[in-house]
Amino acid sequence: MQNTLALILAGGKGTRLLPLTLHRAKPAVPFGGQYRIIDFTLSNCLNSNIRKVAVLTQYKSYSLDRHLRVAWNVVDSELGEFIISVPPQQRVSEDWYRGTADAVYQNLYLVQQEEPDDLFILSGDHVYKMDYSEMLVSHKETKADATIGVIEVTSTAASRFGVLEVDAKQRVVSFVEKPQVSKPHSTEAAVCYANMGVYLFNADMLTHYLTEDANRRTHHDFGKDILPKMVEEARVRAYEFRDENRKEVRYWRDIGTLDAYWEANMDLVAVDPVFNLYDEHWPIRTYHSQYPPAKFVFAEEFKSGRLGIALDSIVCNGCIISGGRVERSVLSPNVRIEEHAEVSDSVLMENVIIGRDSKIRKAIIDKETVIPRKTEIGYDPKADRDRFMVTDSGIVVVNKEMILR
């Protein structure tokens, strides 16, 4: 892995996650209480022994840059290791990144300085566990020019992904971005190979294709331009996802929408969670705020009705549940639940305060939002839509600007 470099694409606007991306980049959105979304890809890199990682940032990168600085200053620069944030350099033009391929093309100077044999291109907004070193071994053994990480999805869901067709030796013979109709790769089940957004390239070969693409009128996108052309001309192979989560069902989530984000958080609070955060074999790193331990106060259920309790929930440091009730929810650091408040099936981000006698259900509350006392959210769809954002499945999303308004 010493001759391998990873570039993590973290510059997209993340418009489908608004308002959570109103003030932050999508990979910096909090997830699972104390993590940021990008922590999962970075943890995969570290656990796979990739010690040279550049995070390509662009929009609203302040909180992401800060997180990388405080949480990921863990490698040894004296050994040539780094995890760094790289904004657009404008070395080849005055444009911001015009697409995923252009983001890498504009940073070829960085690649050339490191002189890697192989180059991982990764997404910064997926949640999964994967040993990239095993993918590199397969890439070398098959003498591939490019290897694409793939996961099986149903034919009905395939239209949301790049879809690959492969031959008997796993060589990719077709790559189509978000097709309306997909041909199953297995006759036994109606499943297709979908692109995971995990790519491994021979560095020299990728440089050639990126340079060629930069001089053509294209989308400058890996899925739409680079990979389909390489499939026609080079040796491109599929690598089926090997899950380090060690559960019966393989776990990979693209949490690019509010509904998907809420569902992925709810996965974590199950009695037997689909995604295991407590696996010492595959630790997920992040920054831990210097808060005191969580506290639950008032055991006066029969005297005054006050009972500070949390059931089937994740509760982070600094939280105080003061005579309120929390069920099936994720509480980020330093959240306050005041007397007689009820919170269920919700995600509360850092420094949120739920006022006395309030009732919150199926909601995402952004950081530093103060919910006034006796507020109800998630119970009256019409009233919620008048004040907040409500998704198609009925998840209510609230930030402090909405409350102040």
Side-chain angles (χ1 to χ4, degrees):
M1 304 300 280
Q2 290 182 344
N3 296 323
T4 302
L5 171 68
L7 301 182
I8 299 179
L9 303 175
K13 288 184 177 180
T15 53
R16 295 182 301 162
L17 271 182
L18 282 170
L20 303 184
T21 52
L22 185 63
H23 301 299
R24 58 170 81 91
K26 180 179 174 183
V29 172
F31 177 79
Q34 63 189 18
Y35 304 98
R36 304 293 184 110
I37 295 174
I38 198 171
D39 288 332
F40 298 89
T41 301
L42 286 170
S43 294
N44 288 339
C45 287
L46 212 60
N47 293 333
S48 303
N49 203 30
I50 297 177
R51 300 302 180 111
K52 297 180 179 180
V53 182
V55 180
L56 307 186
T57 62
Q58 185 165 233
Y59 298 103
K60 302 174 183 174
S61 63
Y62 171 70
S63 63
L64 178 57
D65 292 337
R66 182 178 59 184
H67 179 70
L68 293 174
R69 185 173 65 254
V70 300
W72 288 97
N73 185 23
V74 296
V75 294
D76 193 338
S77 60
E78 293 184 1
L79 298 178
E81 303 171 352
F82 56 83
I83 298 175
I84 56 174
S85 171
V86 182
Q89 302 295 295
Q90 296 189 334
R91 284 184 173 273
V92 297
S93 73
E94 295 184 358
D95 295 325
W96 280 27
Y97 300 148
R98 297 174 294 171
T100 55
D102 186 58
V104 178
Y105 173 71
Q106 289 200 36
N107 287 283
L108 283 181
Y109 176 81
L110 182 159
V111 176
Q112 291 160 358
Q113 291 299 300
E114 294 301 320
E115 299 182 326
D117 294 334
D118 301 285
L119 186 62
F120 276 98
I121 308 297
L122 307 170
S123 172
D125 50 18
H126 296 155
V127 175
Y128 63 108
K129 298 179 183 179
M130 181 177 180
D131 189 341
Y132 301 134
S133 67
E134 294 181 352
M135 184 174 179
L136 179 63
V137 170
S138 175
H139 178 77
K140 294 289 192 181
E141 288 178 346
T142 58
K143 297 180 171 59
D145 297 314
T147 300
I148 304 172
V150 299
I151 189 168
E152 289 184 337
V153 300
T154 63
S155 298
T156 54
S159 61
R160 298 188 287 114
F161 302 94
V163 175
L164 299 80
E165 291 185 30
V166 302
D167 64 17
K169 296 183 177 180
Q170 292 296 93
R171 180 161 181 168
V172 181
V173 297
S174 171
F175 185 102
V176 182
E177 186 73 4
K178 299 180 180 179
Q180 293 300 312
V181 180
S182 301
K183 178 182 177 181
H185 80 82
S186 170
T187 56
E188 298 178 359
V191 293
C192 302
Y193 275 148
N195 173 23
M196 293 175 61
V198 176
Y199 310 131
L200 177 56
F201 295 96
N202 174 291
D204 292 337
M205 181 68 73
L206 180 60
T207 298
H208 165 74
Y209 277 92
L210 290 176
T211 303
E212 184 181 72
D213 179 77
N215 296 315
R216 296 167 52 224
R217 297 188 66 177
T218 72
H219 296 92
H220 307 294
D221 183 83
F222 277 105
K224 295 177 182 177
D225 306 300
I226 301 296
L227 292 172
K229 189 167 181 59
M230 289 190 74
V231 167
E232 294 177 359
E233 303 175 353
R235 292 169 298 184
V236 181
R237 294 193 175 271
Y239 177 83
E240 191 165 351
F241 175 43
R242 299 177 186 176
D243 191 4
E244 292 293 329
N245 192 44
R246 299 192 292 183
K247 290 281 188 174
E248 184 176 346
V249 178
R250 287 182 289 186
Y251 191 97
W252 176 88
R253 294 289 187 274
D254 176 0
I255 48 179
T257 67
L258 293 167
D259 286 326
Y261 174 84
W262 178 84
E263 290 167 3
N265 273 279
M266 292 301 102
D267 285 344
L268 303 177
V269 301
V271 175
D272 183 16
V274 182
F275 189 76
N276 184 10
L277 292 174
Y278 302 89
D279 183 5
E280 295 180 1
H281 165 75
W282 201 264
I284 307 299
R285 293 190 60 92
T286 191
Y287 172 71
H288 295 274
S289 303
Q290 298 303 309
Y291 290 121
K295 187 176 182 180
F296 304 77
V297 296
F298 294 122
E300 300 177 356
E301 183 177 13
F302 301 106
K303 181 180 178 181
S304 62
R306 296 187 300 181
L307 181 66
I309 189 171
L311 305 171
D312 295 334
S313 297
I314 288 175
V315 181
C316 292
N317 283 353
C319 292
I320 298 178
I321 302 180
S322 178
R325 184 180 184 90
V326 176
E327 295 186 64
R328 299 177 305 279
S329 296
V330 175
L331 272 56
S332 300
N334 208 41
V335 167
R336 299 288 191 273
I337 309 296
E338 296 185 348
E339 295 179 20
H340 305 294
E342 298 178 9
V343 176
S344 62
D345 304 296
S346 296
V347 180
L348 276 54
M349 296 190 188
E350 194 168 358
N351 299 327
V352 163
I353 298 175
I354 306 298
R356 180 173 179 164
D357 297 313
S358 292
K359 297 175 66 177
I360 312 296
R361 183 174 65 182
K362 292 189 69 174
I364 302 169
I365 313 294
D366 205 353
K367 65 181 297 185
E368 297 176 354
T369 300
V370 178
I371 303 298
R373 61 184 302 176
K374 296 185 178 180
T375 299
E376 289 194 1
I377 295 174
Y379 291 85
D380 185 337
K382 183 180 182 304
D384 288 336
R385 286 188 171 87
D386 288 342
R387 297 188 63 192
F388 312 120
M389 175 178 285
V390 182
T391 70
D392 292 339
S393 68
I395 308 302
V396 186
V397 188
V398 182
N399 63 16
K400 59 184 178 182
E401 286 87 356
M402 296 175 185
I403 293 294
L404 292 174
R405 185 173 64 239

